[in-house]
């Protein structure tokens, strides 16, 4: 809830306006956001709500299309009481952006991710800790032995030989809306292949992300580009 309030506050701090995308414009957009992360084949596991933060780089080809490249620290995983999967990645999205109207961008691309952390946290009664994924089945069995009448768990953390792959790939589909350099984004990442595997289980990440950033024009200033175009049009006349 605090993360959502922070995002709302950042949005209110931005004065409403529109960006007119110009050919040749190169920009950098620092951003932060909230992930609502889930996994396929994870049974009854709940989403993990965590953070995402990074930079987007964008080069405008013409008024309607641009290429995007990003670097994002993304916390992903699931919550499956008494376990929480904590898989964090450095994601590197490559996107093609389409501007149907000014200020509004629709995009799709590919997003490889490099694993930075792959662990699991558990908390049951007086027992708690953070362990490697390969040890979750052993801890689950220990909790079951200590609480045979109360502890019932048959989720992904009960599978042996659990582990997170070093690299993952996803398909990002999203929309950005810019007003006075402030960029509000909504994105859904569809996992393309297994991210966490074990004996009899194979899961991939799906992540819904809400973000807010601020666009800085590095070169190809809007006013200069507009002046250049006007000059070229005058020459043609």
């Amino acid at each position: 809830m605090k993360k959502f309030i922070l995002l709302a506050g950042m949005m209110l701090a931005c004065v409403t306006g529109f960006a007119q995308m110009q050919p040749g414009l190169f920009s950098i957009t620092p951003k932060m956001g909230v992930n609502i992360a889930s996994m396929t084949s994870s049974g009854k596991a709940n989403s993990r709500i965590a953070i995402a933060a990074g930079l987007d780089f964008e080069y405008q080809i013409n008024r309607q299309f641009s290429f995007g490249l990003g670097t994002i620290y993304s916390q992903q995983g699931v919550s499956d009481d008494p376990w929480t999967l904590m898989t964090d990645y450095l994601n590197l999205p490559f996107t093609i952006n389409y501007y149907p109207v000014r200020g509004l961008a629709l995009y799709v691309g590919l997003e490889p991710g490099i694993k930075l952390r792959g662990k699991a946290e558990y908390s049951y009664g007086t027992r708690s800790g953070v362990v490697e994924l390969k040890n979750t089945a052993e801890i689950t069995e220990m909790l079951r032995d200590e609480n045979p009448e109360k502890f019932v768990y048959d989720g992904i953390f009960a599978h042996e030989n659990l582990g997170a792959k070093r690299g993952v790939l996803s398909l990002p589909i999203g929309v950005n809306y810019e007003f006075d350099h402030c960029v509000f984004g909504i994105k859904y990442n569809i996992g393309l292949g297994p991210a966490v595997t074990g004996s009899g289980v194979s899961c991939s990440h799906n992540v819904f992300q809400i973000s807010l950033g601020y666009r800085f024009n590095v070169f190809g200033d809007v006013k200069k580009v507009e002046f250049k175009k006007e000059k070229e049009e005058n020459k043609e006349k």
Side-chain angles (χ1 to χ4, degrees):
M1 180 60 70
K2 290 182 179 179
K3 295 185 180 73
F4 284 105
I5 293 173
L6 178 59
L7 283 174
M10 291 176 66
M11 289 180 64
L12 290 173
C14 297
V15 179
T16 302
F18 293 99
Q20 179 64 58
M21 305 313 297
Q22 300 293 338
L25 188 66
F26 177 77
S27 62
I28 298 177
T29 305
K31 66 179 185 180
M32 63 175 294
V34 176
N35 282 344
I36 303 175
S38 61
M39 299 192 78
T40 62
S41 304
S42 59
K44 298 179 180 179
N46 297 314
S47 299
R48 181 193 181 198
I49 299 177
I51 66 168
L55 297 171
D56 282 341
F57 305 90
E58 186 175 351
Y59 178 76
Q60 199 71 28
I61 304 169
N62 54 43
R63 289 182 181 272
Q64 289 189 304
F65 289 96
S66 69
F67 285 130
L69 170 66
T71 174
I72 303 171
Y73 170 66
S74 180
Q75 295 183 338
Q76 300 170 197
V78 291
S79 178
D80 195 11
D81 189 39
W83 290 99
T84 298
L85 174 64
M86 301 182 296
T87 44
D88 301 344
Y89 297 89
L90 177 64
N91 289 344
L92 304 169
F94 299 87
T95 61
I96 296 176
N97 311 303
Y98 169 64
Y99 289 84
V101 296
R102 65 177 188 176
L104 179 67
L106 310 175
Y107 64 86
V108 67
L110 286 175
E111 187 165 327
I114 302 169
K115 186 186 71 174
L116 301 178
R117 181 172 70 157
K119 295 190 177 184
E121 181 180 27
Y122 70 95
S123 179
Y124 187 83
T126 59
R127 295 275 192 177
S128 64
V130 177
V131 299
E132 300 291 339
L133 295 184
K134 64 182 180 180
N135 297 325
T136 59
E138 180 182 344
I139 299 296
T140 297
E141 189 61 31
M142 178 193 71
L143 295 175
R144 187 179 290 117
D145 291 342
E146 292 180 350
N147 308 274
E149 297 181 359
K150 296 182 179 180
F151 185 81
V152 178
Y153 179 80
D154 59 357
I156 61 173
F157 298 100
H159 291 266
E160 296 183 350
N161 303 316
L162 204 64
K165 292 186 175 294
R166 293 181 179 178
V168 295
L169 184 66
S170 62
L171 173 70
I173 301 173
V175 56
N176 287 334
Y177 180 71
E178 181 178 351
F179 44 100
D180 201 27
H181 292 274
C182 294
V183 182
F184 176 69
I186 298 176
K187 178 173 73 170
Y188 188 68
N189 274 21
I190 303 170
L192 301 177
V196 174
T197 60
S199 300
V201 65
S202 180
C203 307
S204 59
H205 292 292
N206 290 326
V207 181
F208 178 75
Q209 184 182 104
I210 302 172
S211 64
L212 185 64
Y214 190 88
R215 183 195 297 270
F216 295 93
N217 297 328
V218 179
F219 64 78
D221 183 74
V222 173
K223 292 182 180 179
K224 290 181 181 179
V225 173
E226 287 177 342
F227 176 76
K228 183 179 179 182
K229 183 180 179 183
E230 183 180 344
K231 197 173 181 180
E232 291 175 350
E233 288 175 349
N234 291 333
K235 282 184 181 180
E236 291 177 359
K237 291 178 181 179

